Amino acid sequence: MSWGGIIHAFRDRLPLPANAKVITLCEGNTPLLPAPRLVAAMGGDFDLRLKYEGLNPTASFKDRGMTMAVTHAVAKGAKLVICASTGNTSASAYAARAGISSAVIIPAGKIALGKLTQALIHGAKLLPISGNFDDALNLIRQMSNLKEVEVVNSINPVRIEGQKTASFEILETLGQTPDFHFLPVGNAGNITAYWKGFCEAIPQGRRPRMFGWQAAGAAPLVDGHPVKDPQTIATAIRIGNPASGSGALTAAKDSNGRIDKVTDQEILSAYQLLAQTEGIFVEPACAAPVAGLRKAIAAGWIPKGSLVSMTLTGHGLKDPDTVLSLFPNAPSPIAPTLDAARKALGL
Ligand code: F0G
């Protein structure tokens, strides 16, 4: 049977108004890829499965929450959905699908190129602010009482409901419970959602240990206080005061997991290693848990033979500039001759 999106697949486990018209781009059902070459390159000895959320319709995990949020907004009669975003929040695509308007508040100059192009082409009203994501979210909170608009940030609880479906898919695909689940943490909605999903699917008994990873320059949950001026190459998680921070800390505590941090240098190294060992291209934020895995292996936290699942939250094509910054010297042209090609390839 063809896949009809997460609401269709998991309707009995999602709160929805009766007779709501479902707004979907057939998100979800993303692959769970084994990654033996990556594990070997890091010196580990266990089974790693990568939930490649970059293969959602707008190329990030946000689609799972947005099908829920926009379906709810339309059922309530909203004509405009708004959100603050570091770029991925796919409101604009789902609003276009529903035939309503969208506005996106973004930190000026700190949005990856691919994400900006998505919001533009879907016709979103873009409101860049001279501030960071936390400032944008503060503004959104002030706007949430305006009756004309529906806020579709993850402070809207139906977003979390949609995002929890990734946990259901992981359990169904594996047919067993992973020992660990790794994922990046920014505003902390996703780790909150995954933990909710695991708890609902496994009401009693062993659940995965949740290991969430922040960027070192934007690690309020690790450092124990909000970060005023968060800085990281991983713009998607450049957040200093996460709205769902308490959900992340609960997930880590209740699962006997941890929230930890990795440097930009570690992120960029893991980003390239993943692409070059497994053929999987992600945006820098998604490489935070990959870098975290390397750290966990070095620390001896992952016993031999473990089953580890990891969410890769968004596609690498969102952020071409980061790749180009790593490979600044484009090769110069050669003559179109066999000799020149052999010489260039060292054959
Ligand atoms: N990875 C990617 C690719 C993201 O876009 C985000 C968040 C995260 C990880 C972190 O997830 O916030 O639930 O902890 N992006 C949001 C956005 C903030 O607006 O695109 P989180």
Side-chain angles (χ1 to χ4, degrees):
M1 205 177 73
S2 69
W3 180 260
I6 60 133
I7 294 180
H8 184 253
F10 300 109
R11 187 151 196 154
D12 56 336
R13 293 190 255 178
L14 294 170
L16 277 168
N19 306 322
K21 177 175 183 286
V22 175
I23 309 300
T24 179
L25 287 161
C26 291
E27 58 293 310
N29 197 25
T30 52
L32 191 64
L33 299 166
R37 284 170 44 79
L38 177 67
V39 174
M42 290 180 165
D45 186 5
F46 52 85
D47 187 357
L48 175 65
R49 306 295 176 94
L50 303 172
K51 184 74 172 155
Y52 193 12
E53 289 286 278
L55 296 189
N56 274 300
T58 81
S60 96
F61 73 99
K62 300 279 175 176
D63 295 356
R64 294 179 186 272
M66 207 48 73
T67 182
M68 284 290 287
V70 175
T71 294
H72 270 260
V74 168
K76 280 163 87 176
K79 296 281 176 277
L80 171 67
V81 290
I82 57 164
C83 65
S85 187
T86 58
N88 267 330
T89 302
S90 48
S92 53
Y94 282 79
R97 186 94 174 139
I100 61 174
S101 307
S102 62
V104 188
I105 302 179
I106 51 172
K110 297 287 185 181
I111 298 294
L113 185 63
K115 301 175 187 179
L116 201 56
T117 62
Q118 287 178 293
L120 289 170
I121 197 69
H122 293 307
K125 182 140 192 83
L126 278 182
L127 298 182
I129 57 159
S130 48
N132 58 31
F133 174 83
D134 303 293
D135 300 318
L137 196 59
N138 277 338
L139 178 55
I140 283 285
R141 288 186 198 276
Q142 292 167 46
M143 294 175 79
S144 62
N145 290 330
L146 301 178
K147 71 173 185 324
E148 302 86 346
V149 304
E150 175 79 355
V151 169
V152 291
N153 271 101
S154 58
I155 51 175
N156 179 337
V158 301
R159 280 274 309 279
I160 305 282
E161 292 292 329
Q163 286 171 212
K164 78 183 179 188
T165 59
S167 296
F168 300 160
E169 291 178 18
I170 290 173
L171 294 173
E172 282 175 19
T173 307
L174 289 174
Q176 58 177 309
T177 304
D179 299 302
F180 297 86
H181 186 77
F182 276 54
L183 76 178
V185 174
N187 209 27
N190 210 30
I191 188 169
T192 304
Y194 269 75
W195 183 237
K196 187 169 199 291
F198 284 129
C199 290
E200 287 182 11
I202 312 169
Q204 257 151 26
R206 189 179 63 82
R207 302 178 187 126
R209 297 177 64 188
M210 303 294 290
F211 275 46
W213 297 90
Q214 302 204 285
L221 301 177
V222 186
D223 299 344
H225 54 79
V227 175
K228 223 182 166 48
D229 184 21
Q231 294 298 342
T232 169
I233 178 112
T235 51
I237 54 173
R238 197 175 74 94
I239 296 175
N241 191 12
S244 300
S246 66
L249 295 172
T250 301
K253 183 167 161 282
D254 291 358
S255 71
N256 189 24
R258 63 192 293 132
I259 311 289
D260 208 329
K261 60 184 177 182
V262 281
T263 64
D264 277 9
Q265 214 179 359
E266 290 168 329
I267 288 174
L268 287 176
S269 158
Y271 170 70
Q272 294 177 76
L273 187 67
L274 174 66
Q276 290 170 11
T277 56
E278 296 291 356
I280 301 174
F281 183 24
V282 296
E283 65 165 285
C286 320
V290 182
L293 186 64
R294 185 182 248 166
K295 187 167 170 174
I297 292 169
W301 294 336
I302 316 281
K304 190 173 166 189
S306 297
L307 177 57
V308 181
S309 53
M310 179 187 292
T311 310
L312 301 176
T313 42
H315 203 287
L317 288 171
K318 298 258 192 185
D319 189 358
D321 290 327
T322 298
V323 182
L324 295 177
S325 72
L326 294 172
F327 299 92
N329 302 315
S332 9
I334 58 161
T337 63
L338 183 58
D339 266 0
R342 285 177 62 171
K343 192 159 166 243
L345 294 172
L347 299 173

